[in-house]
Structure formats: structure tokens, C-alpha cells
Amino acid sequence: MKLGLVGYGAGGRLFHAPYIAAVPEIELAGVVTRSPERRREVSGDLPGVPTFDSLSALLDSGVDAVTITTPPDTRRDLVLEAVARGVHVIADKPFAPNAASGRELATAAESAGVLLSVFHNRRWDTDIATVAEVLPSLGDIWRCESRFDLDEPGSLDAGPSGGLLRDLGAHLVDQMLTLFGPAATVYGHLDVVDQPEGRTDCGFAVSLNHLSGVHSTVSASKINHVAARQWRIYGSAGSYVSDGTDVQTDQIKQGLRPADNLDSWGYERQDRLGVLSTAKGSMTIPSAQGRYDEYYRQFAAAVDGRGPQPVPASEGIAVLDVLDAARRSSETGDTVRL
């Protein structure tokens, strides 16, 4: 599959290109970026991969699919341009500013007969892979808390189309919907700061009551100078607690690449493993493997007609419905029923 990458900021460079390179079924056919600095980075990181000034020029070169990882306020038009040309699309999250816009994009892709997948790659995080293995040992799940704090003030997408809820919140909500099923009610609180681009949410706490009966809470911050990745899960048979790391991102920042050694990729540090506690006692749980490359492997198979999309637009819309509800709840102080 010939794939084009649209955008080469932190997302394209850290979360897309290294994992595309780890999938032999995909050829990275080009990168769209006008920035001379980014073009130099592409030349150094991806020798031989051409760069293009526009999505149109990339599409003219002949690709089967594109990944769109440009700033949030540009994604709608780029997705519509790509699907209109009959090209399959992976849209970074948030793939739309709200659920109504997400439905518009999904309808356009369906009408064009192409796939539209949302890049909720954190379904393949190390921590959630480990959590999925632990859940059967906890009996009936009552409550789950997920906290993800980043000390990255400079990376906050500012303005009305940005904010941390649409960014990291999209991932955390998607993880909860994946683990525990659809949400029935949503209650949200947003921390808000004034930025030159406009008022921006820089932190959040969102609580979901799932139709399955599980209560989940996700929270995150980005400008409070604290970093943490924590899970707390409570069930009828015990609890699971972890204080881990952002494993795959840390490995990328250390200069490692999944294509170099997939067998050792994506395992939590031994000193940060989670603990399962039941009536039998407490035990440290070995790390499952995190594999963001699996997202791209599954997408390539779907384009080839050999399997389902990793995250179809319909599932991205379900996340946006929750984010929209959390925003309304924060404004009114009310719990929102979906």
C-alpha cells in the first residue's frame, strides 16, 4: 500500500512515521510539508522519501491512502479533499471538532467508497494491553480511574479548535469505551486558560457511567508541571494499580525505532509494573507489549480487503459524542445523558 503522510510536526515525526516504517506492507510514498525545517527533518529521518507542498500534489503522485496529521483546524478540508479523490484516509485525533462534523466526514467517505479511520493508536498502548489481561481477575468491574498528566506546556494546541480534551481526552475516552462499552451519562470539568489564540482547556476530569454498569473517570493536565500515567481499577474480586510510563513515546524520544527490534518494543520498565491485589494476596503483573505499528498493519489489511479497519469513523464519532457532552457538562454543571 502506498501511503502519504500529511504533516511532519511532532505527531507525524513521533507517532506516525516510525510505525509506518515497521510495517513491510506499507510504502511511505511522500510527506506533505512546506516548512524548510521539516523538510530537512524528513530528509534526515526518511532518506529517499519525497516531500510535497500540498495534499493535491501528493495525490497527483499516486497513493492508495493518506494519513492526515496537520493541526486540528485544517483536518476537515484535507479529509474531504482526499476522500473526494477516492483515497483512503487515516485522520489524526480529533478527526473532527465535534460529533456533527465527524458524521459529515464519515458520510463523505462512505459516499466515495473509501475507508476513513481515526488514529486512536493508544488502544495499542502498553498499559491498556496489560489492563485488558488483568480485568478477568478482578471479577465484576465497578470503577476505573485513568490519569495522564504531561509536563508539556509548549505542546498545548491553543484556541477554540484545540485544547487538551480534544487531544489527550480523545485517547483516554476511547480507551474507556473500548474496555467497558458505550457511555450512558457524562459529567465533565475543564481547566481553562486564556491564550493569544483564545480560551483553551488545558486540563480535564471526565466521568462516564457505562451501559455495562462500570463507572470510569479520566483526567489529564499539560501545563501544571507534573507527569504521571496511572490506572486504578476496582472490582468485586480485588484491585489493580499501576504507575507506569508512556512507554512507546519514551522509546521514540530516546532514538529507538520499532523497526529495529519489534520483539523488544513496547514493554514497561520493571520498576514501574502494576500490582494486582485479591484475596490471594498481591502480585506484580508482567507488562504486556504495546504495539502502535499494529494500527497501521490492520489498516493496510483493511485497504486490501483482508480485515476490518482498526478504528472506523463510527467509533471516532462515539468518542466525539462523549467529548461534546463533557464540554456541555463543564459549561452547565449538569450530567449529560447520551
Side-chain angles (χ1 to χ4, degrees), residues 9-324:
R13 194 177 192 195
L14 301 181
F15 289 97
H16 291 281
Y19 299 100
I20 294 168
V23 182
E25 298 90 342
I26 300 177
E27 172 193 348
L28 183 54
V31 175
V32 176
T33 178
R34 296 190 184 96
S35 164
E37 178 184 355
R38 299 293 185 224
R39 288 188 169 220
R40 286 192 293 271
E41 290 174 345
V42 171
S43 179
D45 297 342
L46 308 168
V49 175
T51 56
F52 297 87
D53 287 330
S54 66
L55 172 58
S56 178
L58 171 67
L59 296 175
D60 288 342
S61 74
V63 293
D64 303 302
V66 293
T67 292
I68 296 174
T69 180
T70 56
D73 58 353
T74 67
R75 289 180 196 154
R76 174 187 176 275
D77 290 345
L78 293 172
V79 170
L80 290 175
E81 180 181 353
V83 300
R85 294 280 297 270
V87 171
H88 305 290
V89 176
I90 295 171
D92 219 335
K93 53 76 212 153
F95 87 112
N98 51 53
S101 296
R103 291 185 174 91
E104 175 198 12
L105 298 182
T107 298
E110 184 178 3
S111 298
V114 298
L115 303 181
L116 173 57
S117 290
V118 183
F119 194 63
H120 286 314
N121 59 306
R122 288 191 177 276
R123 291 189 188 185
W124 289 268
D125 260 339
T126 302
D127 49 23
I128 190 175
T130 306
V131 164
E133 293 182 357
V134 167
L135 286 181
S137 301
L138 294 176
D140 295 329
I141 306 301
W142 296 337
R143 183 160 48 96
C144 179
E145 302 171 4
S146 171
R147 173 189 172 206
F148 200 162
D149 292 321
L150 291 170
D151 186 10
E152 298 181 1
S155 68
L156 179 65
D157 287 327
S161 64
L164 194 60
L165 181 66
R166 290 190 179 99
D167 179 12
L168 198 50
H171 283 308
L172 300 186
V173 168
D174 180 69
Q175 288 182 337
M176 290 303 181
L177 298 183
T178 299
L179 288 173
F180 305 120
T185 64
V186 180
Y187 180 83
H189 166 81
L190 301 182
D191 304 322
V192 179
V193 293
D194 289 318
Q195 302 278 68
E197 298 86 349
R199 287 177 65 79
T200 305
D201 57 272
C202 59
F204 61 82
V206 177
S207 294
L208 311 178
N209 285 313
H210 297 262
L211 293 175
S212 62
V214 176
H215 176 84
S216 68
T217 301
V218 296
S219 64
S221 68
K222 213 167 195 180
I223 69 169
N224 298 96
H225 307 292
V226 59
R229 183 68 186 110
Q230 301 174 332
W231 289 79
R232 303 288 186 271
I233 308 176
Y234 306 89
S236 60
S239 64
Y240 174 74
V241 174
S242 72
D243 293 87
T245 62
D246 191 6
V247 179
Q248 296 180 79
T249 304
D250 290 346
Q251 288 181 297
I252 291 289
K253 289 180 177 179
Q254 292 163 14
L256 304 175
R257 293 296 181 265
D260 296 336
N261 189 350
L262 274 173
D263 290 340
S264 64
W265 187 260
Y267 288 98
E268 183 58 90
R269 289 164 33 186
Q270 290 297 307
D271 63 328
R272 301 295 290 270
L273 297 178
V275 175
L276 171 68
S277 299
T278 68
K280 298 178 182 179
S282 297
M283 61 181 295
T284 300
I285 301 299
S287 171
Q289 187 178 25
R291 290 280 299 270
Y292 292 162
D293 59 293
E294 274 300 314
Y295 180 100
Y296 272 103
R297 190 168 285 106
Q298 291 182 25
F299 183 77
V303 168
D304 201 32
R306 294 182 290 105
Q309 298 181 69
V311 186
S314 59
E315 295 177 5
I317 291 168
V319 171
L320 290 173
D321 277 327
V322 172
L323 301 186
D324 290 350

